[in-house]
Each structure stands twice: as structure tokens, then as C-alpha cells.
Amino acid sequence: MSTAAPERTPRTTPRGPWRRLTSAARAAARPVYQWIAAGSLSSSAVGICVSALALTILGSMMVLSASSVEQISKAQSPYALFARQVGYALVGIVAMFAASRVPLRWWKSRTLIFWLMGGTIALLLLVLSPLGVEVYGNRNWLALGPLQFQPSEIGKFALVLWAAWGLAKTPQVAVSVRAALLPSILGFLATFALVMAGGDAGTGIVFALIYAGALWFARAPMKIFRWSAILGVAAAALIVVASPHRIQRVIGWLVPSRCGASDACYQSNAGLAALASGSWWGEGLGESRQKYNYLPEAHNDYIFAILGEELGFIGSLVVIALFTVIALSLARVILRSSDRFVRIAAGCMLAWYIGQAFVNIGMVTGLLPVIGIPLPFISYGGTSLMMSLFAAGFAMSLTRTPTHPALELSALEEPERTSRLEN
């Protein structure tokens, strides 16, 4: 004799503290989500423009402060690098406003995207030729007569357009790994491999972040991210093991007490000392002590340390707040736009700016090991600054796109997409 199993009553309450915590987080996020999703895209353009300009002005001031002493010690003008940075900034600002007026259909042009990606690959190949210039062990500069620039900075923007175009035109991205990766991964692998061949691991990380952002906002299957994380960790370990200098940096990051004045982690210690001496309000603009040839690359990769020393914790928060404004502005474009290409491209820009800023600031604060990567808009560098401003203009142009009504708040209730759970 068999008896029917009693019918189970479905659970209506959260299971355990994790579910309760998740529900509380979603409830707290609703007002923020509503504010982002209900805003106008014109305000996003203003936010991107004002933040980019403010960061550029602040960066130019910090380049003057951080580089003047080193220039004097070389018997050169203390205003030399500052004057160059201002010149790059003016060109970049003109390019930003010009790019902001480009129609969206031009950015989607297959001819433009293929020529830009092909030109980028050609330039990256030239970097590996005798025309390439090696700086601090990284071969990432190209010298064409009096002109010297970094093709990898152009490659970041080329990858944004390539990934957005490739994923936007494929309807089965959410349910097929093959559809998600082809043809978008071809451009990524080509540019990423050439950048890594030059030894520029920092820029390679930014390329990976841009492509990961494209896949994420295209709703690619989650199995891609799981396998990518495994392969990424394995590849990072091989890259570190292949270079004794990188091994010393990672050991110094993990065990700071083993660092000495001549070790690879000397730079990170000097950066932390600069931040610590800044306290709340800083030593005052121009009053840094670490810039007196104690901190290498003070005007470039480690400019955030000088900024923290001179402007303090409050000044550092201002920089983070400006990047937050850019992130929220791009998030509004992603939520409000009805164009798939625009959403993916905005996601790539979000991964580019915020990912690169996070890696740089994490490196300076000791959260991450030392990775040669500039802080967007602020670090010294002509190609980086001009391309960052030009890309900001591109992001502004994305706000002139058809929109759909503000999303319902119920979207927060079920954030996990069915396609990802199934794959």
C-alpha cells in the first residue's frame, strides 16, 4: 500500500540570512535605480562632459606640480611637461566636442569599424618592428619621424566599436556561446595578443575589461565568464612567473615587510607614504615632498599619490566622485537607450574608464600589485589624454539616441537573466 507524498507548501519567505541581505540590498538600490533610469540622456551628456573637463583641468595642475622638480633636476624648464599636457588637452577637448556631434549611424558604419580595427592592428604590428620604442621594458610606443605615440590607446576605442558592432548585430548572443564570441572575439584576440607581445600587461588588462564589459552588457552566457576567469587567473600566473621583476613586485605586494629601498616594491611604498602624509586636507598644492625624486613616475602612473599628498583625502574623494558621475551617466545611457549598439558601447566605455581608474587607484593604494597603467584624464601622456577625451565625446554622442520609457522597478526583483542560468 502506497501513500501519496504530502504536498509541499512553496516558500514565500527568504531562505537564510543571505536571501534577507540580498532583499535588503535590492530595496536600498531601488531609489538609486529609479533616479538613474528616470533621468534624461541630455543630463548624462552634461555629466560626462563636465566630469571629463574637470578631471583634465585637475590633471594638468597635478602634472605641473608633480613634474616641475624632476624637470629642474634635469636642467630643463619646470613647465615643459605641463605645457605639453595643456597642448594635448586642448587638442583632445576639440576632438571631444567634434566627436559628440558625429551621428550615431557613422559610428555603426561597418566600413569605419573595419578600417579602424585594421589600422590599429597594423600600427600595433609596427610597434613590434624597429620603429617601435621600448620604455621601462614595455614596447608600446611607435616613432614615425618626429611623431611618437601609443597605438594601444587608439586600439581601446577601436575595440569598443568592434565589440559593440559585432555583438549588436548577432541576435543569439544570450543563448549561444558561439554567437557571443564570433566575430567579436577575433578583434579582441588580435589586439590583445599584439599588446601583450610588447610586454604591456597594464594595457592588456584594460583591453580585457573592455571586452568583458561588452559581453556582460550584451547578456552573453555566464559560462563564458566562468571559464574566462579560470583562464585569466592561469594566464596571469604565467605572465608573473615569466618575469623575475613581476615576481618581486607580487611578493612585495603580498609581504610588504620584505621590501627594501632597492626592491621592486620601493615605488609602492613611496606612493603609500605620499598618501599617508596627505591626511584629510593635504600638504597644499605644490607642497609634496615625495615628488623630489623619491617617487618614480610621480607625474604618470603614480600621480594619484601626489594628488593625495597635496590635496588630501578630500581631494582624492573629489576625483573618485567625478569618475562616479561618469559611471552613473553611462549607466543611464545603458538603461534608457533602445539601441542595442548604444547599450553595449556605453558598457564598454564604463568598463574602460572605471576599470582603468580602479586598477590605477588600487595599485597606488596597495589594493593591487604595481601595474603600469595611467589614470584617465589625469596622468601625463598625450595619446592617452587625447583618446580619453575623444572617447568621452563618443560617449556624449551616444546620448542622442532613441529611448524607451523609464524601466519598471520590478527589474530589480529578478536581476538574474534566464539565459545565463540556463547556460
Side-chain angles (χ1 to χ4, degrees):
M1 180 178 179
S2 62
T3 58
E7 183 178 354
R8 298 182 61 183
T9 303
R11 296 179 63 98
T12 58
T13 58
R15 296 179 180 176
W18 174 249
R19 287 290 185 88
R20 289 193 292 271
L21 180 61
T22 303
S23 299
R26 291 176 185 169
R30 286 193 189 98
V32 178
Y33 179 90
Q34 185 178 28
W35 175 75
I36 295 174
S40 66
L41 290 185
S42 60
S43 63
S44 293
V46 173
I48 294 170
C49 178
V50 171
S51 298
L53 292 176
L55 287 168
T56 301
I57 293 171
L58 180 59
S60 299
M61 293 169 51
M62 295 311 305
V63 166
L64 173 61
S65 176
S67 65
S68 56
V69 173
E70 183 179 351
Q71 290 296 105
I72 292 174
S73 68
K74 297 178 180 178
Q76 298 178 4
S77 170
Y79 304 103
L81 296 186
F82 169 71
R84 291 181 190 174
Q85 187 78 348
V86 171
Y88 298 143
L90 292 176
V91 174
I93 290 172
V94 172
M96 179 181 73
F97 285 110
S100 69
R101 305 308 303 171
V102 174
L104 184 59
R105 66 178 184 276
W106 288 18
W107 297 123
K108 293 180 176 181
S109 169
R110 174 174 176 157
T111 302
L112 169 66
I113 294 171
F114 271 71
W115 273 103
L116 182 58
M117 178 57 72
T120 298
I121 293 174
L123 290 174
L124 290 174
L125 286 171
L126 286 177
V127 170
L128 303 178
S129 74
L131 295 175
V133 178
E134 185 173 315
V135 179
Y136 297 120
N138 293 340
R139 197 175 186 86
N140 53 3
W141 290 85
L142 182 62
L144 299 177
L147 182 63
Q148 186 168 312
F149 61 99
Q150 285 181 284
S152 56
E153 294 295 332
I154 303 173
K156 294 175 185 177
F157 182 70
L159 181 59
V160 169
L161 292 184
W162 173 271
W165 171 80
L167 291 167
K169 73 182 186 66
T170 307
Q172 300 298 321
V173 169
V175 295
S176 170
V177 172
R178 179 183 177 86
L181 296 181
L182 294 177
S184 63
I185 197 172
L186 300 179
F188 164 69
L189 289 179
T191 52
F192 177 80
L194 290 172
V195 168
M196 294 302 297
D200 193 355
T203 302
I205 291 173
V206 179
F207 273 67
L209 289 174
I210 292 173
Y211 187 60
L215 291 175
W216 177 265
F217 289 103
R219 301 186 177 186
M222 277 300 295
K223 65 173 62 175
I224 294 178
F225 297 96
R226 288 194 293 266
W227 282 105
S228 297
I230 296 173
L231 293 175
V233 170
L238 290 175
I239 292 172
V240 170
V241 171
S243 171
H245 184 67
R246 292 195 183 106
I247 294 176
Q248 293 176 10
R249 284 187 169 184
V250 171
I251 292 175
W253 171 60
L254 294 174
V255 191
S257 59
R258 296 185 57 180
C259 288
S262 61
D263 292 334
C265 51
Y266 165 75
Q267 186 180 26
S268 60
N269 283 349
L272 288 174
L275 288 174
S277 61
S279 189
W280 282 94
W281 300 102
E283 299 287 345
L285 189 61
E287 299 299 323
S288 167
R289 292 187 290 270
Q290 290 295 324
K291 68 183 180 183
Y292 283 82
N293 291 331
Y294 292 111
L295 177 61
E297 295 299 309
H299 61 286
N300 197 344
D301 295 348
Y302 264 78
I303 197 169
F304 187 77
I306 302 299
L307 187 148
E309 183 182 10
E310 295 188 351
L311 303 182
F313 180 71
I314 302 301
S316 302
L317 280 183
V318 169
V319 172
I320 294 174
L322 290 172
F323 278 111
T324 302
V325 171
I326 293 177
L328 293 176
S329 300
L330 290 170
R332 178 170 291 168
V333 175
I334 296 169
L335 291 174
R336 292 300 310 275
S337 176
S338 59
D339 190 297
R340 183 172 171 82
F341 173 88
V342 170
R343 294 198 302 271
I344 299 174
C348 290
M349 295 301 305
L350 179 63
W352 175 359
Y353 285 146
I354 307 307
Q356 185 168 331
F358 174 79
V359 173
N360 179 274
I361 295 174
M363 169 189 71
V364 174
T365 57
L367 183 63
L368 298 173
V370 176
I371 304 169
I373 187 171
L375 185 59
F377 303 107
I378 295 182
S379 293
Y380 175 78
T383 317
S384 175
L385 178 59
M386 289 188 291
M387 286 307 304
S388 294
L389 287 168
F390 178 79
F394 165 71
M396 292 165 60
S397 74
L398 297 179
T399 62
R400 293 185 290 107
T401 178
T403 60
H404 54 62
L407 301 179
E408 297 294 334
L409 295 183
S410 59
L412 277 179
E413 302 296 335
E414 296 293 339
E416 293 294 334
R417 289 180 272 268
T418 304
S419 61
R420 290 185 173 178
L421 292 176
E422 292 177 350
N423 291 276

